[in-house]
Amino acid sequence: MREWWVQVGLLAVPLLAAYLHIPPPQLSPALHSWKSSGKFFTYKGLRIFYQDSVGVVGSPEIVVLLHGFPTSSYDWYKIWEGLTLRFHRVIALDFLGFGFSDKPRPHHYSIFEQASIVEALLRHLGLQNRRINLLSHDYGDTVAQELLYRFKQNRSGRLTIKSLCLSNGGIFPETHRPLLLQKLLKDGGVLSPILTRLMNFFVFSRGLLQYINQRKKFRRRWVGALASVTIPIHFIYGPLDPVNPYPEFLELYRKTLPRSTVSILDDHISHYPQLEDPMGFLNAYMGFINSF
């Protein structure tokens, strides 16, 4: 019942704002600082925002962070400094259609394109031949799965992945429970165009939300990639997640990927563990990274 009221509130606020013609708020000082400290590169004529911090000197380690839906690279800000104490390069991007990156419309958004953008960013930074640690969340988990599939195929020009850590993502369509708002905007019908137009918020366009259908269509490709590679894989899980419910998700994960290790955070941690429990999340990730 509580979750229903939260979703009604999330839907009502932007609709009311659109109705009253309230302009979008100014960036907070923290977000303004995040944008100012980042950079842009161009992918097929589109501007993609990214962060690239140099951390510990002398380490060859690189970590690339892949954010979730419907947010941005700012999701990682609470653990950013901690990561720079362990890695030489800490890199994150805003996927196309998210955050400070361009939001073209109409546009056929796809997981495949987002994976290609990650590859293009690393080429832009001259890191295409380096071994990369991937740390992902939610939507970013699926992008990481596609990158893993390409790595498994051993095609030239693809990322060389050293390790993968996933977190609270719907990697199994059969245990994924999208929120009501996601369902309304993804499936179309009478409400979808009305909501999308009134909200005037690109993130909720049907194109972006098609990743849910792509997960179903390409399940064998993406889950198969996880099950067949030999690199270290870890999963950090907030068990109160309504999108990937406990224990169904965890039982299927352990059955499908018995070689993967898992960190379960405290019972009250939900879908955004890196924001809800940054120290617990960081400790879990460092424990994984230091284990091989």
Side-chain angles (χ1 to χ4, degrees):
M1 182 62 69
R2 180 182 174 186
E3 182 187 335
W4 181 82
W5 281 107
V6 169
Q7 293 185 42
V8 169
L10 288 173
L11 184 58
V13 170
L15 286 175
L16 181 61
Y19 177 76
L20 296 175
H21 302 286
I22 298 173
Q26 296 294 315
L27 291 179
S28 68
L31 275 174
H32 186 271
S33 175
W34 186 258
K35 184 178 182 180
S36 298
S37 63
K39 299 177 181 178
F40 289 86
F41 85 105
T42 301
Y43 174 82
K44 295 185 177 180
L46 300 166
R47 280 164 42 95
I48 304 297
F49 176 83
Y50 70 95
Q51 287 278 358
D52 178 14
S53 291
V54 176
V56 61
V57 176
S59 170
E61 298 283 354
I62 300 167
V63 62
V64 175
L65 315 178
L66 308 176
H67 69 80
F69 179 95
T71 49
S72 71
S73 58
Y74 190 66
D75 279 358
W76 305 106
Y77 83 99
K78 287 188 176 182
I79 66 169
W80 194 267
E81 183 177 357
L83 292 173
T84 63
L85 299 177
R86 174 61 175 78
F87 294 92
H88 178 57
R89 298 281 287 275
V90 181
I91 300 165
L93 77 159
D94 289 353
F95 290 124
L96 183 67
F98 296 82
F100 297 124
S101 291
D102 280 352
K103 301 167 182 64
R105 59 186 276 184
H107 186 81
H108 178 66
Y109 290 92
S110 74
I111 294 297
F112 302 101
E113 181 179 44
Q114 305 288 21
S116 295
I117 290 171
V118 175
E119 293 174 332
L121 172 59
L122 292 173
R123 287 195 299 271
H124 172 76
L125 297 174
L127 301 174
Q128 67 271 25
N129 296 320
R130 300 286 297 276
R131 300 178 72 200
I132 304 297
N133 299 284
L134 291 179
L135 173 57
S136 61
H137 171 247
D138 185 64
Y139 181 93
D141 285 356
T142 309
V143 178
Q145 288 175 265
E146 172 58 21
L147 290 168
L148 196 65
Y149 176 84
R150 298 179 185 188
F151 167 67
K152 175 177 171 278
Q153 299 302 305
N154 197 29
R155 297 173 183 168
S156 60
R158 303 307 188 190
L159 256 62
T160 300
I161 301 173
K162 181 178 180 180
S163 72
L164 170 60
C165 181
L166 308 151
S167 61
N168 284 77
I171 61 176
F172 304 117
E174 56 268 46
T175 60
H176 183 240
R177 304 288 182 266
L179 299 177
L180 173 62
L181 185 58
Q182 291 176 315
K183 289 179 179 178
L184 287 173
L185 293 169
K186 172 183 71 72
D187 293 332
V190 175
L191 284 177
S192 178
I194 296 173
L195 293 174
T196 302
R197 182 171 181 178
L198 282 175
M199 292 168 74
N200 193 26
F201 190 29
F202 297 137
V203 162
F204 293 122
S205 67
R206 287 185 62 198
L208 274 177
L209 280 156
Q210 288 309 307
Y211 77 93
I212 297 174
N213 292 332
Q214 291 168 18
R215 282 173 170 168
K216 295 177 182 178
K217 182 176 181 180
F218 298 104
R219 183 194 188 281
R220 178 175 294 182
R221 175 187 180 105
W222 291 336
V223 175
L226 286 172
S228 61
V229 296
T230 58
I231 65 167
I233 297 178
H234 190 66
F235 197 97
I236 301 176
Y237 184 52
L240 198 60
D241 187 356
V243 181
N244 303 285
Y246 179 89
E248 295 94 332
F249 169 80
L250 196 58
E251 289 172 352
L252 181 58
Y253 184 87
R254 284 175 161 160
K255 179 181 178 180
T256 307
L257 305 171
R259 292 188 300 103
S260 173
T261 52
V262 177
S263 294
I264 304 175
L265 302 181
D266 291 345
D267 291 346
H268 66 283
I269 304 303
S270 184
H271 187 63
Y272 287 89
Q274 74 276 35
L275 292 172
E276 299 170 52
D277 184 11
M279 187 56 65
F281 188 97
L282 187 62
N283 287 340
Y285 184 58
M286 291 305 178
F288 165 61
I289 285 295
N290 294 329
S291 69
F292 57 89

